[in-house]
Amino acid sequence: MRAVTGPTDHVVVVGAGLSGLSATLHLLGAGRRVTVVERDELPGGRAGRIERHGYRIDTGPTVLTMPDLIDEAFAEVGERLTDRMELQALHPAYRARFADGSELDVHTDAEAMEAEVERFAGASAAQGYRRLRHWLQQLYAVQRHRFIDTNFDSPLQLMHPDLVRLAALGGFGRLDDRIGRFLPDPRLRRVFSFQALYAGVPPARALAAYAVIAYMDTVAGVYFPRGGMHALPRAMADAAADAGAAFRYGHPVTRLERSGDRITAVVTAHERIPCDAVVLTPDLPVVHRLLGRRPRRPLRLRHSPSAVILHAGTDRTWPRLAHHTISFGAAWERTFDELTRTGQLMSDPSLLLTRPTASDPQLAPPGRHLHYILAPCPNTETGPGAGSWHDLAPRYRDSLLAVLERRGLTGIGAAIEMQHLVTPADWTAQGLAAGTPFSAAHTLAQTGPFRPRNLVRGTVNAVLAGCGTTPGVGIPTVVISGKLAAARVTGLRAARPTAGTARPTPRGIPA
């Protein structure tokens, strides 16, 4: 594995998002002195927090899976994830509501889910689910260490027996077709393939290998931290600070100083911080601006669809909403065509509704409820530009509320007493390419060794982390990206402690 050359005693991590915090914990565990600079006044990056009128709003991801991967980072500083935060397993992980009025609770327990599938679609479908679950487990086992948790230096690293095993499992077929072999019912296929949207590719075109995301959601389990999703980056930052990391909040980076092919200092709006190496976690356009160069690629990067998110504080809720509810429209193929090809807003939207107060009522004032309504939309390269959303946003909000009214959330518009609307214009203002929080799409040409590398050509002591680089989008993969970045700095292949075990006290040096 290629690694940073020269001294690496003091590392500056730019960005206190999940990837930067993961890198920090792994670097501390390897004995490095770490300074973290963050433009915001709190950790989290996209997993931030806004407080309005007694509502505590998570601004980023709402679905937490694979906490054992996060536990690896805590283990590097001699701790456990559960030392810092309380996790609640969600039952059901999701509730799926379909246009025909049917509902399906998605359980991660095998027997409970088999019984639910049989109730929903019959005994034959339940048998198909058993086979699907076994296939998902095999798929994840093959990909976990060889294709996900790996620093790629060359596509030749793919030449391994695990590549043959992945092909034998049908990983290079199409996701929708492969799921359909187990579950002919189109409603069930949606439950196990909608996750392809996270990867920015329609299920009909996505590689079947991306069913590993469905494994994380529907087999490994979905969790929620007490105190909201922002409790996760807060816990990681606290553990890192106690292990010796220095944090500089409210310190936007203005430039990187260099001498030849080395970064020698990170300059913020408030100070100059000398360093031996740097881990850069902002979105790729920001990183390229700081580095003063953009890597050449044979093909232009394609970006995932974006999202409109309405955070709504209400004086009531609706009994059929679980913590996470997926409201599927009748359209499916047309929806993905609109999101990725024609650039139109969904004509028959499928929505993710999250009700965090179902699990933690303290996220809202007494007697009030918090709802998070996510509507996928085209990014600003495919659909309306950032400037169009000033006028479009209020109309689209009203359209979404009208859809929810028709789907049984009677009176939702009148029930809203606090709202915070986020559109692609807001993502653009944060410096996110194409106005999307989901970064580069996981097409075949942008996956594994073909995704933007985490080493920087022409700079020997800079490493990238975050969803724009290896391995990709989502909390589990972003956490892994921080681990991989740390390994590039230390030159050590990070050990994989058993989840829930702690390492000895770290060798980190106080900053």
Side-chain angles (χ1 to χ4, degrees):
M1 180 191 72
R2 292 174 55 202
V4 163
T5 61
T8 60
D9 296 330
H10 180 211
V11 184
V12 173
V13 176
V14 178
L18 296 176
S19 65
L21 294 169
S22 173
T24 297
L25 291 167
H26 283 280
L27 288 166
L28 290 168
R32 297 326 191 256
R33 182 163 65 97
V34 183
T35 301
V36 183
V37 292
E38 167 58 49
R39 66 181 179 182
D40 294 331
E41 298 293 339
L42 73 173
R46 297 177 207 187
R49 166 65 56 82
I50 295 174
E51 300 200 14
R52 289 190 177 179
H53 308 294
Y55 291 94
R56 298 157 65 193
I57 303 169
D58 288 318
T59 62
T62 62
V63 179
L64 175 60
T65 63
M66 308 298 291
D68 58 304
L69 299 179
I70 304 166
D71 212 22
E72 287 186 5
F74 280 93
E76 290 289 329
V77 295
E79 294 199 28
R80 300 169 186 262
L81 172 64
T82 51
D83 294 336
R84 293 282 179 175
M85 57 188 291
E86 180 183 342
L87 279 184
Q88 175 184 349
L90 297 183
H91 303 294
Y94 297 98
R95 175 165 292 149
R97 304 181 71 183
F98 300 93
D100 63 2
S102 58
E103 289 187 1
L104 173 79
D105 281 352
V106 179
H107 300 283
T108 52
D109 176 77
E111 291 184 2
M113 188 59 186
E114 184 177 334
E116 177 69 355
V117 170
E118 183 168 357
R119 177 200 66 79
F120 182 80
S124 176
Q127 293 174 3
Y129 164 73
R130 283 199 301 271
R131 292 186 289 109
L132 171 64
R133 185 183 179 96
H134 179 64
W135 178 72
L136 291 173
Q137 291 169 324
Q138 290 179 300
L139 200 66
Y140 180 73
V142 167
Q143 293 190 68
R144 165 70 165 94
H145 297 303
R146 180 60 52 185
F147 303 109
I148 299 174
D149 190 2
T150 297
N151 271 317
F152 284 101
D153 293 321
S154 165
L156 295 178
Q157 285 176 249
L158 292 173
M159 299 298 106
H160 185 274
D162 281 344
L163 186 69
V164 179
R165 297 186 185 102
L166 182 59
L169 287 170
F172 297 106
R174 296 304 174 190
L175 177 62
D176 194 55
D177 289 343
R178 179 58 58 169
I179 298 295
R181 295 189 184 189
F182 301 102
L183 301 171
D185 188 304
R187 297 167 301 172
L188 289 175
R189 288 207 304 272
R190 293 185 189 185
V191 168
F192 291 93
S193 65
F194 80 91
Q195 297 89 350
L197 185 59
Y198 302 155
V201 185
R205 299 205 307 270
L207 290 178
Y210 283 112
V212 292
I213 309 176
Y215 167 86
M216 295 175 183
D217 282 1
T218 67
V219 177
V222 177
Y223 297 82
F224 187 71
R226 183 169 296 279
M229 292 291 287
H230 182 66
L232 173 58
R234 176 65 70 183
M236 295 174 76
D238 288 347
D242 287 349
F247 283 83
R248 305 283 194 268
Y249 294 114
H251 276 53
V253 174
T254 58
R255 61 190 176 91
L256 304 175
E257 284 187 7
R258 73 165 55 231
S259 175
D261 58 3
R262 296 191 70 84
I263 304 298
T264 56
V266 174
V267 181
T268 75
H270 303 287
E271 64 178 315
R272 175 184 179 274
I273 307 173
C275 64
D276 296 311
V278 62
V279 176
L280 301 168
T281 72
D283 209 33
L284 292 178
V286 178
V287 168
H288 296 155
R289 176 178 58 78
L290 290 172
L291 290 169
R293 64 190 69 183
R294 179 188 297 272
R296 282 179 285 184
R297 290 179 58 89
L299 297 174
R300 185 166 175 262
L301 275 179
R302 286 179 50 193
H303 290 88
S304 297
S306 184
V308 171
I309 301 173
L310 174 62
H311 302 275
T314 64
D315 60 12
R316 60 164 295 190
T317 189
W318 292 264
R320 293 307 302 164
L321 291 180
H323 185 111
H324 294 299
T325 302
I326 308 168
S327 176
F328 288 107
W332 189 238
E333 289 82 5
R334 185 175 79 237
T335 293
F336 283 99
D337 197 53
E338 290 166 342
L339 292 172
T340 62
R341 290 180 182 269
T342 66
Q344 297 170 287
L345 298 178
M346 292 182 291
S347 55
D348 183 19
S350 290
L351 308 171
L352 172 63
L353 311 176
T354 296
R355 184 166 60 106
T357 44
S359 301
D360 189 350
Q362 294 185 359
L363 296 173
R368 297 298 190 264
H369 308 270
L370 189 57
H371 299 85
Y372 167 112
I373 301 157
L374 184 149
C377 70
N379 63 44
T380 56
E381 292 176 342
T382 306
S388 303
W389 279 98
H390 180 270
D391 295 326
L392 184 57
R395 299 199 306 271
Y396 193 51
R397 168 201 174 272
D398 292 345
S399 173
L400 292 175
L401 293 178
V403 168
L404 293 174
E405 287 267 4
R406 293 194 298 269
R407 295 183 185 177
L409 273 63
T410 306
I412 184 171
I416 295 175
E417 61 179 23
M418 181 285 305
Q419 69 171 354
H420 176 62
L421 186 66
V422 183
T423 74
D426 299 291
W427 307 122
T428 299
Q430 293 180 31
L432 304 186
T436 174
F438 304 116
S439 194
H442 283 264
T443 61
L444 180 59
Q446 296 177 180
T447 296
F450 309 110
R451 198 162 180 82
R453 302 277 179 87
N454 59 4
L455 286 178
V456 178
R457 183 171 296 177
T459 304
V460 298
N461 65 337
V463 185
L464 308 187
C467 58
T469 185
T470 306
V473 179
I475 290 180
T477 41
V478 162
V479 169
I480 289 174
S481 82
K483 172 186 173 182
L484 296 178
R488 291 289 197 186
V489 173
T490 63
L492 302 172
R493 176 58 173 158
R496 301 185 183 107
T498 301
T501 62
R503 290 186 171 183
T505 301
R507 302 181 301 277
I509 305 169

